[in-house]
Amino acid sequence: MGTIKLHNKHFKKYISAKKIKIAIDKMASLVAKDCKDEVPIFIGILNGSFMFAADFVRAYNGNCEMSFVKLASYSGTDSTGNVKQLVGLNENLEGRTVIILEDIIDTGTTLEEIYNIFRHQKLKQLKIATLFFKPDVFRKELHIDYIGLSIPDKFIVGYGLDYNGLGRNLADIYQLTTHKMTNIVLFGPPGAGKGTQADVLKDKYNLVHISTGDVFRYNIKNQTDLGKLAKSFMDKGDLVPDEVTIDMLKAEVEKNPDANGFIFDGFPRTESQAKALDAFLEEKGQSINGMVALEVAEDLLVARLLKRGETSGRSDDQDESKIRNRFNEYETKTSILKNYYADQNKYFGVDGVGNIEEITERLSSVFDTL
Ligand code: AMP
C-alpha cells in the first residue's frame, strides 16, 4: 500500500526497501575497505538503528563486533537540566576502532553527545556512519564519515524510525503527507457532458481525471479479465458490481501517488461506492471536497446519447432501450447520491444546458470555491 496511518497522521511511501539496501551495501563495502585488517566494533544507537545495524553487519564483509547502546536522558542536578548518558556499553573500547551506526542525523545534537561521551574512552579512532542525513538542518561542525542517503528535511518513519513508537517495523521509509488534495466528484446522468468537461477541467486545475467508464472500456478493448467481466453488464446498460468497480477505482487512484487531487467521473454511482470512496480517502488523510453535478433534463439526454452513438462506437449509446436502462439505473441507484453529499453540504448543482465553454465557466466558478 502507498500510504499508511500512524496514530493520527498519514504517511506515504518515500524510499523503497530496495533503495535502502543498495545504500547500505555501498556503505558496508566502503567501511570494510577503510578498515582493512582491523576488527572494528560497530555500535548501534538504539532504538532507531536496530534494522540498519542488522542489515549493515550482514552486508559487512570482514570480522567485526557489534554492540548497541541507548542514549538516555536523566534529569541532572546541574542547571542544564537534561544530561545524556549511555546505557548498555559494557565493552572495553580502549585502543579500538569504534564505528557508530546511526539511523538518522538531522540537527546533530545526538551526534554531539556521542562525540562527547566517546571522547573519554581512549579509542584508537571514532567514526560515524549514518543511514540518513539531513544536510539542510545539520547545525554542527562535526565530521560524519559515512552517509547512506542524504534527504531533505522531511519527517520520515519506517526501517527502524518511529512516530510516537509506531512504524519501526516497516521495511520501506515513509514520509509525512502534508498536502491536502482537491477531490471532486463530477456528477450527472449519462450524457450530461461529464467526460467533455472533465477533460478541460483536469488541465485547468491540475487534477487527475478518472473515468470508471473509460477504464472499463479500455479493459474491454484489451480483453483483460476485468474487461470480460464488465462487458456483460455494460452491454445491457447495467452497473458493474460494486466490489469490482471499487477495487478498480482504488487501483487507479494508487497509480497517481503525487496527484494534487482527482476528478471522479462516473464514480461513485451507488451509495456503497460513495461510502467506500470516503473510507478510502480517509485512510489517506484526504476527503471529497464536493460533488459538482451537471443538471440536464432526461429527454435532452436521450437525444444527445443517440447522436453520440452515431460516432462514439459505444454500443450502449446506440440503442434507446439500453439508454433508458442506464437512466433507470441512474434514477434508482445513483441519483440518491445527491442527498448523500447534500447532507454533508457538499452538493453543487450546475445547469448543464448550453455550449461547452459556458458550462465550463459555470463549473469553474464552483471549482474555484472548493
Ligand atoms: P460511463 O462511461 O460513465 O457512462 O459508463 C459506462 C458504463 O460503465 C456504465 O453504464 C456501467 O455499466 C459501467 N460503469 C461505469 N462506472 C461505473 C460505476 N461507478 N459503477 C458501476 N458501473 C460503472
Side-chain angles (χ1 to χ4, degrees), residues 232-284:
S232 57
F233 297 96
M234 287 175 74
D235 277 350
K236 288 184 274 173
D238 289 342
L239 292 187
V240 178
D242 279 344
E243 333 57 282
V244 177
T245 311
I246 290 167
D247 283 352
M248 182 198 81
L249 188 277
K250 287 182 182 173
E252 290 299 310
V253 170
E254 297 292 7
K255 282 183 195 163
N256 297 280
D258 297 320
N260 287 325
F262 294 89
I263 298 178
F264 296 105
D265 159 10
F267 190 96
R269 259 173 154 107
T270 62
E271 193 165 335
S272 81
Q273 289 181 12
K275 285 184 177 156
L277 181 60
D278 278 350
F280 177 57
L281 290 176
E282 213 222 305
E283 270 176 28
K284 298 177 173 301

Side-chain angles (χ1 to χ4, degrees), residues 188-221:
K194 299 185 294 287
T196 309
Q197 293 297 335
D199 238 11
V200 182
L201 293 165
K202 73 168 199 295
D203 292 333
K204 183 164 177 188
Y205 293 94
N206 193 18
L207 301 171
V208 173
H209 172 209
I210 298 181
S211 154
T212 41
D214 284 351
V215 179
F216 284 134
R217 280 184 287 277
Y218 176 85
N219 278 277
I220 290 173
K221 199 167 145 223

